[in-house]
Amino acid sequence: MENKSGEGKRHIPLLSPYEMGNFQLSHRVVLAPLTRQRSYGNVPQPHAILYFSQRTTKGGLLIAEGCGISDTAHGYKDTSGIWTYEQVEAWKPVVSAVHAKGGIFFCQLWHTGRVSSKDFQPNGQAPISCTDKPSKFAQFPPPRRLRTDEIPQIVNDFRLAARNAIETGFDGVEIHGAHGYLIDQFMKDQVNDRTDQYGGSLENRCRFALEIVEAVVNEIGADRVGIRLSPFADYMDSGDSNPSALGLYMAESLNKYGIAYCHMVEPRMKTLREKVECPESLILMRKAFKGTFIVAGGYDRGDGNKTVLEDRADLVAYGRMFIANPDLPRRFELDVPLNKYYRETFYTSDPVAGYTDYPFLETTI
């Protein structure tokens, strides 16, 4: 099939090669970390092998769905983990399948914090957070405020999960510091009401996140570490009074650790469903951070190309489009229509429908 737009691949910014530290990427289209709730009993299943393999290209970067770092980390049914031997062993064939096709695979490390219920917590206990204030979302109960002396254990859980990910075969890890989950709860002043060294000032609120980064870097090496942040979002009732200052402080502070990348969610992604108009910009964070800068948030082919061309990001992460189009880079190369995604199957438990049954371009032309 001919390229409809007449562009050569080398003239498409999204498909130009990129060097991310020690990783040679063949293009700049990233599979975003996507919760799919098909890891029965918090253990990856064989159908994940096909799902991730379908979306792998040689030299392409994939970020696995959020993986719980401990038995207190989960907030949703059938989300994956990376803290037990069984989980590590179950991830190994998935990672091997991605590597067999030449892909680069990072594991997202996740703790939901107060975005959980007693049903998902050991012994039916309250979920943990920086606060004892419940989210306004009615399905979540009041959390238990972590004591100051308990916080180092959570930091250590992230460290051990990172070690497990590397032993599984992942090329690196992404620390989930976005979307109203535990790390984001500490950073955002709408949630964090602590009076110890982890609350109050911007520096104190970001301390937990940076301690985790430092611990993970020391464990597996900076070149294998990324972090995802959403300073402008108020997911799960987690907003901040000065998101620009928060994002800039984190971008500058992360330089100390020399991590591989910072993955920022666009300010226009105020909700979990659709993008909205927003005058804020990530450009200051982009300029401040010295490593690879990844952006996500409602991008299409045109937005992505323009962003890379204008040097507003190095890489662009795609979620819903990549769910529905396992061959998304190829479709971008040819500039052809995309499959539509079906939101109603995003979080079902079916191992095929809405998961591995979206058609490739070869079957639709």
Side-chain angles (χ1 to χ4, degrees):
M1 181 174 180
E2 293 183 358
N3 185 328
K4 187 179 73 172
S5 68
E7 295 176 304
K9 182 174 180 179
R10 61 189 177 88
H11 298 304
I12 304 173
L14 276 173
L15 299 180
S16 60
Y18 179 76
E19 185 175 322
M20 186 180 79
N22 297 325
F23 302 104
Q24 304 294 326
L25 305 185
S26 61
H27 59 78
R28 300 168 188 246
V29 180
V30 178
L31 174 66
L34 302 163
T35 297
R36 303 306 311 274
Q37 293 186 255
R38 287 165 169 87
S39 294
Y40 311 143
N42 306 132
V43 177
Q45 300 296 307
H47 45 254
I49 299 172
L50 178 58
Y51 173 78
F52 284 105
S53 178
Q54 286 178 332
R55 287 156 184 79
T56 302
T57 55
K58 185 176 182 180
L61 175 61
L62 298 84
I63 307 171
E65 63 209 70
C67 290
I69 61 163
S70 70
D71 60 357
T72 68
H74 289 282
Y76 306 95
K77 182 176 181 289
D78 294 332
T79 52
S80 187
I82 195 74
W83 82 89
T84 71
Y85 174 82
E86 183 183 11
Q87 291 162 347
V88 167
E89 290 301 305
W91 269 116
K92 284 181 177 179
V94 184
V95 176
S96 294
V98 170
H99 285 163
K101 294 183 68 174
I104 297 156
F105 206 10
F106 273 51
C107 176
Q108 190 186 66
L109 305 182
W110 188 26
H111 196 301
T112 61
R114 69 176 184 169
V115 185
S116 183
S117 71
K118 294 181 179 181
D119 293 339
F120 297 115
Q121 297 299 311
N123 304 315
Q125 65 193 32
I128 58 176
S129 181
C130 62
T131 181
D132 56 10
K133 295 186 302 184
S135 168
K136 293 178 182 177
F137 289 84
Q139 68 266 37
F140 302 122
R144 180 179 71 81
R145 184 192 304 269
L146 282 165
R147 300 189 313 269
T148 305
D149 65 348
E150 291 180 297
I151 291 176
Q153 179 58 55
I154 309 301
V155 173
N156 195 53
D157 287 340
F158 274 94
R159 180 187 68 82
L160 293 174
R163 169 51 54 194
N164 286 346
I166 297 305
E167 292 181 355
T168 300
F170 282 104
D171 297 293
V173 302
E174 176 179 282
I175 298 165
H176 195 345
H179 295 170
Y181 298 119
L182 183 61
I183 295 175
D184 204 31
Q185 290 160 30
F186 269 85
M187 288 191 290
K188 301 288 184 65
D189 60 13
Q190 182 176 317
V191 182
N192 190 333
D193 57 357
R194 302 179 72 92
T195 57
D196 62 2
Q197 64 264 41
Y198 293 95
S201 69
L202 179 58
E203 180 182 21
N204 282 356
R205 285 184 280 116
C206 293
R207 187 184 306 278
F208 178 58
L210 295 174
E211 286 182 350
I212 290 170
V213 170
E214 183 174 18
V216 172
V217 164
N218 288 342
E219 183 66 27
I220 66 173
D223 59 324
R224 294 178 179 270
V225 179
I227 189 169
R228 195 179 211 204
L229 302 170
S230 58
F232 295 93
D234 56 4
Y235 298 135
M236 306 301 176
D237 194 29
S238 294
D240 193 80
S241 62
N242 193 343
S244 294
L246 171 59
L248 186 59
Y249 178 82
M250 283 297 295
E252 292 173 339
S253 299
L254 289 168
N255 290 327
K256 173 184 175 182
Y257 306 100
I259 63 174
Y261 70 77
C262 180
H263 182 179
M264 284 276 192
V265 179
E266 281 283 359
R268 63 190 177 190
M269 299 307 294
K270 289 286 188 181
T271 72
L272 287 169
R273 289 186 172 268
E274 302 296 339
K275 65 182 182 182
V276 296
E277 292 302 318
C278 181
E280 301 284 4
S281 172
L282 298 179
I283 192 64
L284 293 179
M285 281 131 263
R286 169 20 168 199
K287 290 179 177 178
F289 183 67
K290 304 305 181 186
T292 294
F293 197 75
I294 305 176
V295 293
Y299 280 87
D300 58 21
R301 181 183 185 272
D303 290 339
N305 278 323
K306 190 170 187 288
T307 293
V308 173
L309 186 64
E310 295 178 353
D311 197 33
R312 288 186 281 117
D314 301 301
L315 309 174
V316 181
Y318 290 86
R320 291 166 289 187
M321 283 186 181
F322 230 143
I323 285 176
N325 298 272
D327 52 356
L328 187 63
R330 176 66 170 163
R331 289 176 185 260
F332 280 173
E333 177 186 350
L334 298 175
D335 194 14
V336 294
L338 303 180
N339 299 323
K340 294 182 180 179
Y341 57 80
Y342 297 98
R343 190 182 297 277
E344 61 271 19
T345 63
F346 281 179
Y347 308 113
T348 64
S349 60
D350 194 297
V352 176
Y355 192 59
T356 58
D357 62 345
Y358 282 104
F360 284 75
L361 186 60
E362 288 76 9
T363 64
T364 60
I365 60 174

